[in-house]
Amino acid sequence: MRVFPLAVVAALIMGTGIAHAQDGAVHTRSSTEMTLLDTKGAPPEVPPPHTARHAASSTLHGVVVQDPYRWLENPDDPAVQQWIKAQNGYTEHVIDTMPGNEALSKRVRALAITSTTRSAPRMAGGTLFYMQETPPQPQPVLMAQAWPDGKARALVDLNKDGGGEAITAYWPSPSGRYLAYGTAEGGSELTTIHVLDVKTGQSLADTLPYAGGGTTPQGLAWDADEHGFVYVRFPLPPSGQDVKQFNAELVHHTLGASAGSDKVVFGKGYSEVAEYRLLSSPGAKRLAVLANIGDGGAAEVYVRRDGHFQKLLGRRSNVRGASWIGQRLVLEEFAAAPRGRLLVREPSGELHVLLPPAKGAVQGVTPMGDGFAVVRSWGPDWWIDQYDDHAKFVRRVPLPKSGIGIGGIAAEHGREHALISYGGWGLPSRWVDYDTRTGKLTTVFEVKPASDAYAKIRVQRIDGVSKDGTHVPVTVLSMPGVTPNGKRPTILYSYGGFDIPITPHFVGPYLAWLERGGVLAYANIRGGNEFGEAWHAQGQKLHKQNVFDDFYAAGQALKKAHWTDTAHLGIMGGSNGGLLMGTQIVQHPTAYRAVVSMVGIYDMIRHETNFANGKYNVSEYGSVSDAAQFRATLKYSPLQNVKPKTPYPAVLMTTGANDPRVAPWQSRKFTAALQNASNSGQPILLLTRMHAGHGIGAPFAQRVGNTALALGFFAGELGLDVH
């Protein structure tokens, strides 16, 4: 499963030379880089815990890669457990000595406590289902409401047990009579499916473990008669053994039957790293499957006919998404159109072009009225175009023209009204009822923020110019009166992978940074799909260095525009964005003052072979079994490019002990290498949360704590006035 950007998903926010092969690597520095000046937070009063180095290595394609911190990969080793405990203590000591942390943390929590929020709307049989969170409750509650005038009621509330268990996904039956939903504990994401009767609120006996999550996404499609469903499941392990998160299959479950009696209907032997998206037509009359081998790649398209799945399109068509519009399957195809075009499979079986490429990159298609809607983007701008059943343009939905991201569309084919959720940098999430006949928008729900200051946020755009001349959009957020003076404390964020875009989103508690004179910046670097699939492809595999060059260019653009300088520039990323942070640390060690990197990948050489999700990521990163890809990967892999006696910036890394997407040992090894190599005197910190994962489903307190931790660290290092 993809390694997600933490600032986008679920509003989260959270030595000596290593490799023999790196000896010839040369770091070049731009004339705009400068030596780190210790003008902010004082260096730690105590040194970091000592990390032993033990002889270990790997030989790939004739290259010996030294790995002295490999012993940190084993979490069951008492020495590793003691190391984690010592590092947590060191991190807490350093953070506690930073000035103003308490005041900033208090403000972050106050801003996080908004009015009730809603997300993930879905419509079925005239009932609207959605997730509702009332801060500071730990987890969202799954709700149901007859739309539009029915009374909302809670269906699933997991908060009574403290919030350690989270709802991972949900699937209403076609009429809305039943609801299947998944749960996972402790951040593990390994899902168990439950079923309840929506009318009575009573749970059925059905409990289905190992239903995806972590490495492969969950998925479920109801039968038309609502007597059962098809769902994603890992093969059941022998009694007493742990499940292996590979070889996911589609199995059929009949309500009331045991999980052990469920039969495989598709995917047996398909791929060790199979991923599936299940798409049902209205009334569940038809079922399509988008099947992927790992993450970030094109899908094969299958359609169920007479109980069997028949291939409709192969990967050469580069299908990235699909939706049923009535009984017509509409496919988002990119092979012949880098921005995307729509193909349609008619009920008769005919396949033809429904909608040719248009302005903007296709981000999704969904039923709307008697036709459909297409969500599009171009860089940081997002919008929705409405079409009739014959693909004739009706209108652009009259949402704000810039500065918003589309949260989702809940609609059913043939219904005149659709529900659209969206939000923006200073605009909390809101839902609008959209009349597909007249184009009228009526606000039906909006989050009340904890401050009126969000409306004052100023949004500006600048361009960075990457190494190959590519222009990279950078969105800059600030408050009135905060103008470029060359030394504004600034945080730059991006992601750069898996065709996941950086979209405008509500800054929430990060207002605490802006209102104190800080600046936030977001870069639309390659690896995402903001400009279409070509933008993504230019940041994959052998082209991955483009991602890192783009981000560096974004930081340089902030300096050139006089927003900040090296002494006041911090960078932040998570997951695949943590890899991005790692490359910036080792490729441009004196270009940034501070780095916050969450659940990141830093040892790309062992990510693929020594952690389950690494195999799923080969389609995005390429495989080190290929000699050319190995050489390219070794050149940028952060761990193998740590250099002794180098002035590395201040670094705060975080990880979760139960992370199924990125191995916690990644952070341990990189922390150890940096602590032993850096001569800047700046802190290199690691915080390991023992009851957390990648951040998906994290409880409210953990999310707020991650934000406060990051902002407190940046404030101390970049010199933000926290009072």
Side-chain angles (χ1 to χ4, degrees):
M1 184 177 286
R2 303 179 184 198
V3 283
F4 282 103
L6 298 185
V8 176
V9 179
L12 300 174
I13 300 292
M14 259 188 38
T16 53
I18 302 299
H20 203 133
Q22 74 186 19
D23 293 346
V26 177
H27 291 292
T28 58
R29 295 176 184 169
S30 151
S31 61
T32 56
E33 292 187 15
M34 56 189 292
T35 302
L36 288 174
L37 301 176
D38 187 21
T39 57
K40 304 298 178 291
E45 297 176 358
V46 296
H50 172 72
T51 304
R53 302 172 77 250
H54 301 310
S57 65
S58 299
T59 302
L60 293 89
H61 307 286
V63 177
V64 177
V65 183
Q66 301 295 335
D67 194 6
Y69 303 110
R70 185 174 293 179
W71 67 274
L72 287 171
E73 292 182 6
N74 181 10
D76 298 324
D77 183 342
V80 174
Q81 295 173 9
Q82 181 58 40
W83 187 93
I84 293 170
K85 183 178 179 180
Q87 290 288 343
N88 276 353
Y90 174 64
T91 296
E92 291 171 4
H93 166 76
V94 174
I95 294 295
D96 285 347
T97 62
M98 289 183 171
N101 258 351
E102 185 175 348
L104 191 59
S105 295
K106 185 179 294 185
R107 181 58 175 160
V108 165
R109 179 175 175 79
L111 290 170
I113 300 179
T114 64
S115 67
T116 295
T117 64
R118 295 178 180 176
S119 62
R122 296 187 68 174
M123 202 85 73
T127 297
L128 177 69
F129 299 86
Y130 56 92
M131 303 299 295
Q132 178 171 290
E133 184 174 12
T134 306
Q137 71 181 26
Q139 293 286 352
V141 176
L142 183 50
M143 307 290 292
Q145 178 182 354
W147 190 254
D149 300 319
K151 183 179 179 180
R153 57 194 178 95
L155 294 179
V156 183
D157 184 349
L158 302 180
N159 287 293
K160 62 181 180 298
D161 295 324
E165 186 177 23
I167 297 172
T168 58
Y170 73 89
W171 306 270
S173 66
S175 71
R177 176 185 176 184
Y178 296 112
L179 183 81
Y181 65 95
T183 63
E185 296 185 15
S188 71
E189 300 183 50
L190 185 58
T191 292
T192 298
I193 289 176
H194 315 268
V195 185
L196 60 78
D197 185 307
V198 173
K199 184 176 181 180
T200 66
Q202 296 298 308
S203 294
L204 279 62
D206 307 75
T207 302
L208 312 175
Y210 314 124
T215 56
T216 199
Q218 309 93 339
L220 186 148
W222 281 89
D223 298 341
D225 61 10
E226 302 185 334
H227 290 168
F229 47 76
V230 173
Y231 69 102
V232 176
R233 190 186 70 185
F234 296 116
L236 297 178
S239 178
Q241 296 186 22
D242 293 334
V243 68
K244 295 182 179 179
Q245 296 190 36
F246 293 107
N247 298 300
E249 301 163 334
L250 299 184
V251 298
H252 184 268
H253 175 73
T254 300
L255 293 181
S258 68
S261 66
D262 293 346
K263 302 297 184 183
V264 177
V265 295
F266 181 82
K268 190 173 184 62
Y270 182 78
S271 170
E272 182 183 30
V273 292
E275 299 184 357
Y276 307 105
R277 283 170 284 172
L278 283 64
L279 307 166
S280 293
S281 69
K285 295 179 181 179
R286 300 175 185 272
L287 175 62
V289 175
L290 302 189
N292 287 75
I293 295 178
D295 302 315
E300 287 188 330
V301 183
Y302 292 83
V303 177
R304 186 172 61 186
R305 184 180 180 88
D306 299 327
H308 300 284
F309 288 89
Q310 301 176 345
K311 184 188 290 188
L312 178 62
L313 288 173
R315 290 187 181 82
R316 288 186 177 181
S317 296
N318 203 357
V319 171
R320 297 276 164 171
S323 180
W324 289 95
I325 311 302
Q327 300 303 318
R328 308 165 80 197
L329 180 62
V330 177
L331 304 160
E332 304 161 27
E333 187 255 13
F334 289 85
R339 296 194 305 273
R341 65 176 184 173
L342 301 185
L343 306 181
V344 62
R345 183 184 189 270
E346 303 288 355
S348 64
E350 178 191 359
L351 182 69
H352 62 89
V353 176
L354 177 66
L355 192 67
K359 180 181 178 181
V362 173
Q363 294 288 352
V365 60
T366 187
M368 182 171 281
D370 291 326
F372 60 94
V374 180
V375 178
R376 301 184 190 274
S377 72
W378 196 244
D381 292 327
W382 288 66
W383 66 91
I384 304 172
D385 288 334
Q386 180 186 349
Y387 298 85
D388 69 14
D389 197 43
H390 301 288
K392 180 181 178 181
F393 181 73
V394 176
R395 72 176 65 86
R396 182 158 295 175
V397 177
L399 299 171
K401 292 184 178 180
S402 65
I404 66 163
I406 309 301
I409 302 172
E412 292 182 287
H413 189 253
R415 289 185 178 268
E416 296 175 345
H417 289 260
L419 186 68
I420 299 171
S421 66
Y422 70 96
W425 302 115
L427 182 68
S429 174
R430 62 178 55 190
W431 291 3
V432 291
D433 177 88
Y434 175 60
D435 189 323
T436 63
R437 301 162 302 171
T438 66
K440 182 181 178 181
L441 292 174
T442 304
T443 300
V444 295
F445 172 80
E446 56 186 331
V447 175
K448 303 296 183 184
S451 172
D452 295 331
Y454 291 103
K456 300 177 183 179
I457 293 176
R458 293 185 174 180
V459 182
Q460 301 180 54
R461 291 182 187 168
I462 60 175
D463 269 3
V465 181
S466 197
K467 188 175 182 179
D468 64 359
T470 299
H471 284 249
V472 179
V474 182
T475 300
V476 182
L477 309 182
S478 63
M479 298 301 285
V482 178
T483 55
N485 69 357
K487 54 182 180 180
R488 299 291 184 191
T490 300
I491 302 172
L492 172 63
Y493 176 89
S494 198
Y495 183 69
F498 296 93
D499 71 8
I500 295 174
I502 296 297
T503 63
H505 59 276
F506 184 53
V507 299
Y510 285 86
L511 179 66
W513 184 264
L514 295 175
E515 65 188 2
R516 285 163 172 76
V519 173
L520 297 174
Y522 299 84
N524 293 109
I525 62 178
R526 282 174 283 187
N529 66 356
E530 294 93 321
F531 292 102
E533 182 52 30
W535 194 251
H536 169 220
Q538 290 171 26
Q540 280 185 298
K541 298 181 179 178
L542 292 173
H543 306 295
K544 195 67 182 176
Q545 184 60 42
N546 286 335
V547 174
F548 315 137
D549 292 341
D550 287 2
F551 187 84
Y552 175 70
Q556 295 302 101
L558 289 166
K559 298 176 187 179
K560 185 176 180 179
H562 304 295
W563 279 106
T564 193
D565 59 12
T566 297
H568 297 87
L569 177 58
I571 59 175
M572 179 168 64
S575 196
N576 173 75
L579 167 62
L580 174 63
M581 296 300 100
T583 64
Q584 299 306 296
I585 291 169
V586 298
Q587 293 183 11
H588 306 285
T590 61
Y592 313 103
R593 181 59 177 79
V595 182
V596 172
S597 187
M598 303 156 289
V599 294
I601 310 170
Y602 311 108
D603 183 354
M604 289 296 295
I605 303 305
R606 285 176 67 79
H607 175 60
E608 174 188 345
T609 58
N610 289 274
F611 191 66
N613 200 43
K615 292 186 178 181
Y616 286 82
N617 294 162
V618 165
S619 55
E620 179 74 12
Y621 296 134
S623 175
V624 294
S625 65
D626 175 82
Q629 184 65 63
F630 164 71
R631 288 191 294 270
T633 302
L634 184 62
K635 190 174 181 179
Y636 74 72
S637 181
L639 180 66
Q640 286 75 31
N641 285 282
V642 174
K643 302 294 184 182
K645 298 180 181 180
T646 300
Y648 289 113
V651 178
L652 169 63
M653 283 181 270
T654 62
T655 189
N658 301 327
D659 192 338
R661 302 185 186 227
V662 176
W665 55 254
Q666 293 272 357
S667 297
R668 296 196 287 267
K669 293 171 72 173
F670 194 46
T671 296
L674 288 175
Q675 286 177 342
N676 282 342
S678 182
N679 65 1
S680 68
Q682 305 307 324
I684 308 293
L685 309 175
L686 171 62
L687 177 66
T688 300
R689 296 193 184 278
M690 303 309 295
H691 302 287
H694 201 64
I696 311 300
F700 176 83
Q702 189 181 117
R703 283 175 274 149
V704 173
N706 286 344
T707 302
L709 177 66
L711 291 187
F713 177 77
F714 276 132
E717 295 298 332
L718 305 183
L720 186 78
D721 184 359
V722 296
H723 301 293

